[in-house]
Amino acid sequence: MSKDRWQGVRFIAVGTTAAAVHWGVVRVAVESMGMAPLGANVVGWMIAFVVSFSGHRFWTFGVTSGVGTGQSLWRFALVSGAGFAVNEACYAAVLRTGGLRYDLALGVVLVGLAVATFVVSRLWVFRAASPG
C-alpha cells in the first residue's frame, strides 16, 4: 500500500472512532440523562472533536504534515465547527421529518459528512503552506 492509501485507512479508523464516540455520547445523554437529541449532539461533537483532532494530528497527518499543532488546531476547529453546523442543521431536518429514530438519523448525518472532512483535512488543515 502506498503512503497515501495508508493515510486514508488511518483517516477512516480515526473518523470511525470519533463518530462512534459522538454517537455513543448522544445515546447516553438522551437515554440516561434525558437530554434532547439536538443538545446531546452538541455534547457528543465536543467530545468527539478531541478524539478526532488528536488522532488526525498525531497519527493520520502528523508525521508528514509540516504544520504545528497550534496552526492545525485552529484550522481543524474551523473545519470541524463548520462541519458541525452542517451536521446540526441536517440532523434537525432529519429529526423533523420523523422518518428515523434519533440515533439512526445521527448515524446517517455523521457518515454523510465524513468524506468532505477528509478532503478538507488533507488539502488544508494538516498541509503546510507552500514555500515562496
Side-chain angles (χ1 to χ4, degrees):
M1 259 186 190
S2 73
K3 183 170 117 182
D4 286 343
R5 184 168 293 153
W6 280 115
Q7 187 178 64
V9 169
R10 288 190 303 268
F11 183 87
I12 290 167
V14 171
T16 300
T17 301
V21 167
H22 186 150
W23 189 80
V25 168
V26 170
R27 294 265 338 240
V28 168
V30 169
E31 296 188 16
S32 297
M33 301 169 66
M35 289 184 73
L38 289 174
N41 193 35
V42 174
V43 175
W45 171 74
M46 291 169 60
I47 294 170
F49 175 89
V50 174
V51 172
S52 186
F53 177 76
S54 298
H56 291 317
R57 172 68 184 124
F58 298 107
W59 191 47
T60 305
F61 299 105
V63 174
T64 60
S65 74
V67 177
T69 300
Q71 184 176 11
S72 60
L73 178 59
W74 78 258
R75 287 178 178 182
F76 191 79
L78 182 66
V79 170
S80 183
F84 179 71
V86 172
N87 165 303
E88 189 79 341
C90 291
Y91 190 39
V94 172
L95 288 173
R96 270 196 302 272
T97 66
L100 291 174
R101 289 187 344 230
Y102 79 91
D103 53 343
L104 295 177
L106 180 59
V108 168
V109 170
L110 290 174
V111 169
L113 292 172
V115 172
T117 302
F118 173 73
V119 171
V120 174
S121 292
R122 182 171 179 175
L123 296 178
W124 184 62
V125 173
F126 296 101
R127 182 178 219 149
S130 298

